[in-house]
Structure formats: C-alpha cells, structure tokens
Amino acid sequence: MTLTVKFLLIAALILSIIIPFGYFLIGERNKKRYKRALGTNLFFFFGAFVIAGIMLFGGSSVQAAETADAAVSNATGFGYIAAALSTGLSCVGGGIAVASAASAALGAISEDSSALGKSLIFVGLAEGVCLYGLIISFMILGQL
C-alpha cells in the first residue's frame, strides 16, 4: 500500500465518524435520528475496515518469495494482536461484571451493612477477570 492510499483510508475512517454524528448534531435530536446516525457510522466505519483489509491482504503474487520473513513478522503481529485482545476483552468483560456486582453490592449494603464483606468479595472477583487478562497478555508478550 502506498502512502497516499494509507492517508485516504485514515481520512475515510475519520470522516465515517464525523459526518454521521455531525448530521445528528445539526438537526433535531431525537431517537430516530440518533439510530440512523449510529447505523450509518457503523456501516461506513466497518466498510472502510473491510476495504482496508482487502487492500492489505490482497498483495501481488510476486511477494510470495519472501515467505520466511513474512511468516516471522505475521507471527509477531498476531502475537501482539492476541495480547491486545486478551487485555481488552477481559477488561470489557470485567467492567460489565463490576457494573452489575457493584450496583447490587451498594443496594445490599444500604439495606444491611453487615453484607459489606460478602459483597466486596464479588466485586473483587469481577475485577480479577481484568487482572487475569493482563497476566495472560504479559505471558504472550514474553514469548515474542
């Protein structure tokens, strides 16, 4: 991919976010316009990702001779992606779990203050999911 194509893809990704929500902010703000702007945003954003993926992996057959270096760089790249996904997804899941457990814990504590210890254990277990994902990502990065 040339530098011009990279800049065009970056511009397309940025514009796919700015234009639909600019359209939403300019007009009347209601739920229907918000859903339409969000749907348009998702369509163009992931459409630009699909086009970028096709352009990135759709190389010519002349480059097939450099398979040894490409395999090593691909393995390293996939290792970094795996580390990022393990941290990111575990933190998203942990955040969802903490949101549910903490709100329930606050409700239980407000009714009965002796439930503090039990409720903190559940909140701590939910936060542990994030730490486990971070440890796994450090283990992956250690193998690269």
Side-chain angles (χ1 to χ4, degrees):
M1 263 196 308
T2 64
L3 188 62
T4 307
V5 173
K6 289 180 184 178
F7 281 136
L8 286 174
L9 287 174
I10 291 170
L13 287 174
I14 291 172
L15 289 176
S16 71
I17 296 171
I18 293 173
I19 290 174
F21 283 109
Y23 167 76
F24 170 71
L25 293 174
I26 289 173
E28 179 185 345
R29 297 181 186 173
N30 57 18
K31 196 171 193 177
K32 182 179 178 183
R33 283 180 61 107
Y34 179 73
K35 286 184 179 181
R36 185 179 304 148
L38 187 63
T40 307
N41 185 359
L42 289 174
F43 175 75
F44 284 119
F45 187 74
F46 288 114
F49 264 118
V50 167
I51 291 171
I54 290 170
M55 293 178 72
L56 182 66
F57 294 117
S60 64
S61 60
V62 176
Q63 298 173 350
E66 303 172 356
T67 56
D69 292 334
V72 171
S73 66
N74 279 344
T76 305
F78 287 139
Y80 287 131
I81 290 173
L85 284 175
S86 68
T87 302
L89 292 176
S90 67
C91 287
V92 168
I96 293 169
V98 166
S100 300
S103 63
L106 286 174
I109 292 169
S110 66
E111 290 181 10
D112 183 18
S113 62
S114 67
L116 176 67
K118 293 176 187 175
S119 60
L120 285 180
I121 290 172
F122 289 112
V123 175
L125 287 173
E127 290 176 4
V129 172
C130 301
L131 293 176
Y132 296 142
L134 189 64
I135 290 169
I136 294 298
S137 67
F138 284 145
M139 290 171 63
I140 292 171
L141 291 174
Q143 295 292 321
L144 297 179

